[in-house]
PDB file of all heavy atoms in Angstrom:
ATOM      1  N   ALA A 325      -9.884  52.220 -27.151  1.00 67.00           N
ATOM      2  CA  ALA A 325      -8.528  51.737 -26.802  1.00 67.00           C
ATOM      3  C   ALA A 325      -7.743  52.706 -25.794  1.00 67.00           C
ATOM      4  O   ALA A 325      -6.727  52.431 -25.267  1.00 67.00           O
ATOM      5  CB  ALA A 325      -7.642  51.601 -27.954  1.00 67.00           C
ATOM      6  N   ALA A 326      -8.251  53.935 -25.563  1.00 64.00           N
ATOM      7  CA  ALA A 326      -7.743  54.902 -24.686  1.00 64.00           C
ATOM      8  C   ALA A 326      -7.598  54.276 -23.279  1.00 64.00           C
ATOM      9  O   ALA A 326      -8.523  53.627 -22.727  1.00 64.00           O
ATOM     10  CB  ALA A 326      -8.469  56.117 -24.721  1.00 64.00           C
ATOM     11  N   SER A 327      -6.514  54.465 -22.666  1.00 58.00           N
ATOM     12  CA  SER A 327      -6.245  54.120 -21.291  1.00 58.00           C
ATOM     13  C   SER A 327      -5.311  54.929 -20.483  1.00 58.00           C
ATOM     14  O   SER A 327      -4.299  55.338 -21.094  1.00 58.00           O
ATOM     15  CB  SER A 327      -5.797  52.572 -21.281  1.00 58.00           C
ATOM     16  OG  SER A 327      -5.375  52.231 -20.100  1.00 58.00           O
ATOM     17  N   ALA A 328      -5.531  55.214 -19.334  1.00 55.00           N
ATOM     18  CA  ALA A 328      -4.600  55.853 -18.321  1.00 55.00           C
ATOM     19  C   ALA A 328      -3.340  55.128 -18.206  1.00 55.00           C
ATOM     20  O   ALA A 328      -2.281  55.766 -17.830  1.00 55.00           O
ATOM     21  CB  ALA A 328      -5.317  56.211 -17.072  1.00 55.00           C
ATOM     22  N   ASP A 329      -3.251  53.834 -18.428  1.00 57.00           N
ATOM     23  CA  ASP A 329      -2.118  53.026 -18.338  1.00 57.00           C
ATOM     24  C   ASP A 329      -1.062  53.197 -19.430  1.00 57.00           C
ATOM     25  O   ASP A 329       0.044  52.559 -19.353  1.00 57.00           O
ATOM     26  CB  ASP A 329      -2.528  51.535 -18.224  1.00 57.00           C
ATOM     27  CG  ASP A 329      -3.407  51.390 -16.864  1.00 57.00           C
ATOM     28  OD1 ASP A 329      -3.082  52.047 -15.906  1.00 57.00           O
ATOM     29  OD2 ASP A 329      -4.260  50.411 -16.975  1.00 57.00           O
ATOM     30  N   LEU A 330      -1.454  53.724 -20.532  1.00 50.00           N
ATOM     31  CA  LEU A 330      -0.545  53.792 -21.747  1.00 50.00           C
ATOM     32  C   LEU A 330       0.527  54.842 -21.369  1.00 50.00           C
ATOM     33  O   LEU A 330       0.313  55.871 -20.794  1.00 50.00           O
ATOM     34  CB  LEU A 330      -1.457  54.335 -23.043  1.00 50.00           C
ATOM     35  CG  LEU A 330      -2.401  53.332 -23.449  1.00 50.00           C
ATOM     36  CD1 LEU A 330      -3.105  53.931 -24.711  1.00 50.00           C
ATOM     37  CD2 LEU A 330      -1.696  52.042 -23.865  1.00 50.00           C
ATOM     38  N   ARG A 331       1.726  54.537 -22.010  1.00 59.00           N
ATOM     39  CA  ARG A 331       2.934  55.354 -21.679  1.00 59.00           C
ATOM     40  C   ARG A 331       3.662  55.420 -23.024  1.00 59.00           C
ATOM     41  O   ARG A 331       3.538  54.709 -23.901  1.00 59.00           O
ATOM     42  CB  ARG A 331       3.810  54.760 -20.574  1.00 59.00           C
ATOM     43  CG  ARG A 331       3.134  54.733 -19.294  1.00 59.00           C
ATOM     44  CD  ARG A 331       3.038  56.010 -18.683  1.00 59.00           C
ATOM     45  NE  ARG A 331       2.582  55.886 -17.319  1.00 59.00           N
ATOM     46  CZ  ARG A 331       1.236  55.987 -16.928  1.00 59.00           C
ATOM     47  NH1 ARG A 331       0.298  55.947 -17.864  1.00 59.00           N
ATOM     48  NH2 ARG A 331       0.936  55.913 -15.717  1.00 59.00           N
ATOM     49  N   GLY A 332       4.598  56.498 -23.083  1.00 60.00           N
ATOM     50  CA  GLY A 332       5.526  56.557 -24.131  1.00 60.00           C
ATOM     51  C   GLY A 332       4.945  56.621 -25.591  1.00 60.00           C
ATOM     52  O   GLY A 332       3.827  57.274 -25.773  1.00 60.00           O
ATOM     53  N   SER A 333       5.735  56.106 -26.511  1.00 64.00           N
ATOM     54  CA  SER A 333       5.388  56.238 -27.833  1.00 64.00           C
ATOM     55  C   SER A 333       4.000  55.630 -28.216  1.00 64.00           C
ATOM     56  O   SER A 333       3.457  56.015 -29.103  1.00 64.00           O
ATOM     57  CB  SER A 333       6.486  55.569 -28.715  1.00 64.00           C
ATOM     58  OG  SER A 333       6.654  54.310 -28.342  1.00 64.00           O
ATOM     59  N   VAL A 334       3.685  54.546 -27.497  1.00 62.00           N
ATOM     60  CA  VAL A 334       2.375  54.022 -27.976  1.00 62.00           C
ATOM     61  C   VAL A 334       1.188  54.918 -27.555  1.00 62.00           C
ATOM     62  O   VAL A 334       0.266  55.132 -28.401  1.00 62.00           O
ATOM     63  CB  VAL A 334       2.133  52.670 -27.098  1.00 62.00           C
ATOM     64  CG1 VAL A 334       0.719  52.091 -27.424  1.00 62.00           C
ATOM     65  CG2 VAL A 334       3.194  51.580 -27.583  1.00 62.00           C
ATOM     66  N   ALA A 335       1.317  55.653 -26.490  1.00 69.00           N
ATOM     67  CA  ALA A 335       0.306  56.693 -26.021  1.00 69.00           C
ATOM     68  C   ALA A 335       0.441  57.682 -27.111  1.00 69.00           C
ATOM     69  O   ALA A 335      -0.808  58.297 -27.592  1.00 69.00           O
ATOM     70  CB  ALA A 335       0.588  57.202 -24.661  1.00 69.00           C
ATOM     71  N   ASP A 336       1.516  58.145 -27.548  1.00 71.00           N
ATOM     72  CA  ASP A 336       1.697  59.297 -28.568  1.00 71.00           C
ATOM     73  C   ASP A 336       0.999  58.842 -29.887  1.00 71.00           C
ATOM     74  O   ASP A 336       0.198  59.636 -30.502  1.00 71.00           O
ATOM     75  CB  ASP A 336       3.048  59.658 -28.763  1.00 71.00           C
ATOM     76  CG  ASP A 336       3.728  60.311 -27.495  1.00 71.00           C
ATOM     77  OD1 ASP A 336       2.884  60.781 -26.607  1.00 71.00           O
ATOM     78  OD2 ASP A 336       4.899  60.228 -27.266  1.00 71.00           O
ATOM     79  N   GLU A 337       1.336  57.571 -30.234  1.00 68.00           N
ATOM     80  CA  GLU A 337       0.686  57.165 -31.567  1.00 68.00           C
ATOM     81  C   GLU A 337      -0.775  57.168 -31.530  1.00 68.00           C
ATOM     82  O   GLU A 337      -1.391  57.354 -32.472  1.00 68.00           O
ATOM     83  CB  GLU A 337       1.339  55.721 -31.939  1.00 68.00           C
ATOM     84  CG  GLU A 337       2.803  55.761 -32.228  1.00 68.00           C
ATOM     85  CD  GLU A 337       3.179  56.613 -33.487  1.00 68.00           C
ATOM     86  OE1 GLU A 337       2.263  56.761 -34.290  1.00 68.00           O
ATOM     87  OE2 GLU A 337       4.203  57.302 -33.702  1.00 68.00           O
ATOM     88  N   LEU A 338      -1.315  56.530 -30.385  1.00 68.00           N
ATOM     89  CA  LEU A 338      -2.806  56.500 -30.291  1.00 68.00           C
ATOM     90  C   LEU A 338      -3.425  57.876 -30.372  1.00 68.00           C
ATOM     91  O   LEU A 338      -4.397  57.904 -31.004  1.00 68.00           O
ATOM     92  CB  LEU A 338      -3.115  55.720 -28.952  1.00 68.00           C
ATOM     93  CG  LEU A 338      -4.609  55.564 -28.688  1.00 68.00           C
ATOM     94  CD1 LEU A 338      -5.286  54.781 -29.774  1.00 68.00           C
ATOM     95  CD2 LEU A 338      -4.859  55.046 -27.330  1.00 68.00           C
ATOM     96  N   ALA A 339      -2.830  58.821 -29.499  1.00 73.00           N
ATOM     97  CA  ALA A 339      -3.453  60.098 -29.620  1.00 73.00           C
ATOM     98  C   ALA A 339      -3.342  60.706 -31.063  1.00 73.00           C
ATOM     99  O   ALA A 339      -4.358  61.447 -31.483  1.00 73.00           O
ATOM    100  CB  ALA A 339      -2.657  61.081 -28.649  1.00 73.00           C
ATOM    101  N   ARG A 340      -2.220  60.507 -31.763  1.00 74.00           N
ATOM    102  CA  ARG A 340      -2.181  61.090 -33.082  1.00 74.00           C
ATOM    103  C   ARG A 340      -3.084  60.400 -34.087  1.00 74.00           C
ATOM    104  O   ARG A 340      -3.814  61.024 -34.784  1.00 74.00           O
ATOM    105  CB  ARG A 340      -0.627  61.039 -33.503  1.00 74.00           C
ATOM    106  CG  ARG A 340      -0.636  61.495 -34.996  1.00 74.00           C
ATOM    107  CD  ARG A 340       0.908  61.715 -35.462  1.00 74.00           C
ATOM    108  NE  ARG A 340       0.997  62.226 -36.719  1.00 74.00           N
ATOM    109  CZ  ARG A 340       0.851  63.408 -37.085  1.00 74.00           C
ATOM    110  NH1 ARG A 340       0.456  64.404 -36.089  1.00 74.00           N
ATOM    111  NH2 ARG A 340       1.038  63.834 -38.390  1.00 74.00           N
ATOM    112  N   ALA A 341      -3.305  59.135 -33.849  1.00 72.00           N
ATOM    113  CA  ALA A 341      -4.227  58.446 -34.694  1.00 72.00           C
ATOM    114  C   ALA A 341      -5.618  58.818 -34.535  1.00 72.00           C
ATOM    115  O   ALA A 341      -6.428  58.984 -35.461  1.00 72.00           O
ATOM    116  CB  ALA A 341      -3.970  56.846 -34.451  1.00 72.00           C
ATOM    117  N   ARG A 342      -5.995  59.065 -33.195  1.00 75.00           N
ATOM    118  CA  ARG A 342      -7.282  59.527 -32.845  1.00 75.00           C
ATOM    119  C   ARG A 342      -7.601  60.878 -33.453  1.00 75.00           C
ATOM    120  O   ARG A 342      -8.748  61.086 -33.992  1.00 75.00           O
ATOM    121  CB  ARG A 342      -7.551  59.666 -31.300  1.00 75.00           C
ATOM    122  CG  ARG A 342      -7.572  58.266 -30.644  1.00 75.00           C
ATOM    123  CD  ARG A 342      -7.689  58.312 -29.217  1.00 75.00           C
ATOM    124  NE  ARG A 342      -8.883  58.957 -28.748  1.00 75.00           N
ATOM    125  CZ  ARG A 342      -9.133  59.412 -27.435  1.00 75.00           C
ATOM    126  NH1 ARG A 342      -8.246  59.119 -26.514  1.00 75.00           N
ATOM    127  NH2 ARG A 342     -10.302  59.891 -27.245  1.00 75.00           N
ATOM    128  N   GLU A 343      -6.544  61.749 -33.390  1.00 77.00           N
ATOM    129  CA  GLU A 343      -6.729  63.136 -33.941  1.00 77.00           C
ATOM    130  C   GLU A 343      -6.913  63.001 -35.463  1.00 77.00           C
ATOM    131  O   GLU A 343      -7.899  63.703 -35.996  1.00 77.00           O
ATOM    132  CB  GLU A 343      -5.568  63.983 -33.662  1.00 77.00           C
ATOM    133  CG  GLU A 343      -5.508  65.312 -34.268  1.00 77.00           C
ATOM    134  CD  GLU A 343      -4.325  66.046 -34.128  1.00 77.00           C
ATOM    135  OE1 GLU A 343      -3.262  65.637 -33.478  1.00 77.00           O
ATOM    136  OE2 GLU A 343      -4.126  67.237 -34.537  1.00 77.00           O
ATOM    137  N   MET A 344      -6.075  62.144 -36.181  1.00 75.00           N
ATOM    138  CA  MET A 344      -6.173  62.198 -37.622  1.00 75.00           C
ATOM    139  C   MET A 344      -7.507  61.591 -38.074  1.00 75.00           C
ATOM    140  O   MET A 344      -8.104  62.051 -39.074  1.00 75.00           O
ATOM    141  CB  MET A 344      -4.994  61.553 -38.167  1.00 75.00           C
ATOM    142  CG  MET A 344      -3.616  62.232 -37.794  1.00 75.00           C
ATOM    143  SD  MET A 344      -2.287  61.711 -38.793  1.00 75.00           S
ATOM    144  CE  MET A 344      -2.767  61.976 -40.428  1.00 75.00           C
ATOM    145  N   VAL A 345      -7.956  60.407 -37.367  1.00 77.00           N
ATOM    146  CA  VAL A 345      -8.963  59.787 -37.904  1.00 77.00           C
ATOM    147  C   VAL A 345     -10.328  60.481 -37.539  1.00 77.00           C
ATOM    148  O   VAL A 345     -11.171  60.469 -38.459  1.00 77.00           O
ATOM    149  CB  VAL A 345      -9.140  58.356 -37.049  1.00 77.00           C
ATOM    150  CG1 VAL A 345     -10.489  57.652 -37.475  1.00 77.00           C
ATOM    151  CG2 VAL A 345      -7.984  57.431 -37.745  1.00 77.00           C
ATOM    152  N   THR A 346     -10.366  61.315 -36.496  1.00 80.00           N
ATOM    153  CA  THR A 346     -11.412  62.188 -36.222  1.00 80.00           C
ATOM    154  C   THR A 346     -11.461  63.263 -37.267  1.00 80.00           C
ATOM    155  O   THR A 346     -12.680  63.553 -37.709  1.00 80.00           O
ATOM    156  CB  THR A 346     -11.244  62.908 -34.808  1.00 80.00           C
ATOM    157  OG1 THR A 346     -11.158  61.838 -33.806  1.00 80.00           O
ATOM    158  CG2 THR A 346     -12.243  63.829 -34.437  1.00 80.00           C
ATOM    159  N   ARG A 347     -10.486  63.814 -37.671  1.00 79.00           N
ATOM    160  CA  ARG A 347     -10.452  64.878 -38.711  1.00 79.00           C
ATOM    161  C   ARG A 347     -10.892  64.300 -39.989  1.00 79.00           C
ATOM    162  O   ARG A 347     -11.673  64.943 -40.756  1.00 79.00           O
ATOM    163  CB  ARG A 347      -9.060  65.510 -38.840  1.00 79.00           C
ATOM    164  CG  ARG A 347      -8.578  66.289 -37.716  1.00 79.00           C
ATOM    165  CD  ARG A 347      -7.018  66.854 -37.783  1.00 79.00           C
ATOM    166  NE  ARG A 347      -6.989  67.609 -39.158  1.00 79.00           N
ATOM    167  CZ  ARG A 347      -5.768  67.808 -39.668  1.00 79.00           C
ATOM    168  NH1 ARG A 347      -4.699  67.226 -39.160  1.00 79.00           N
ATOM    169  NH2 ARG A 347      -5.719  68.600 -40.764  1.00 79.00           N
ATOM    170  N   ALA A 348     -10.442  63.133 -40.251  1.00 78.00           N
ATOM    171  CA  ALA A 348     -10.806  62.540 -41.522  1.00 78.00           C
ATOM    172  C   ALA A 348     -12.322  62.210 -41.591  1.00 78.00           C
ATOM    173  O   ALA A 348     -12.995  62.456 -42.610  1.00 78.00           O
ATOM    174  CB  ALA A 348     -10.034  61.133 -41.899  1.00 78.00           C
TER     175      ALA A 348
END
Side-chain angles (χ1 to χ4, degrees):
S327 171
D329 297 328
L330 294 179
R331 297 289 185 273
S333 59
V334 175
D336 294 339
E337 292 296 335
L338 178 63
R340 179 165 180 77
R342 289 176 65 187
E343 176 188 359
M344 296 190 66
V345 170
T346 297
R347 289 175 59 199

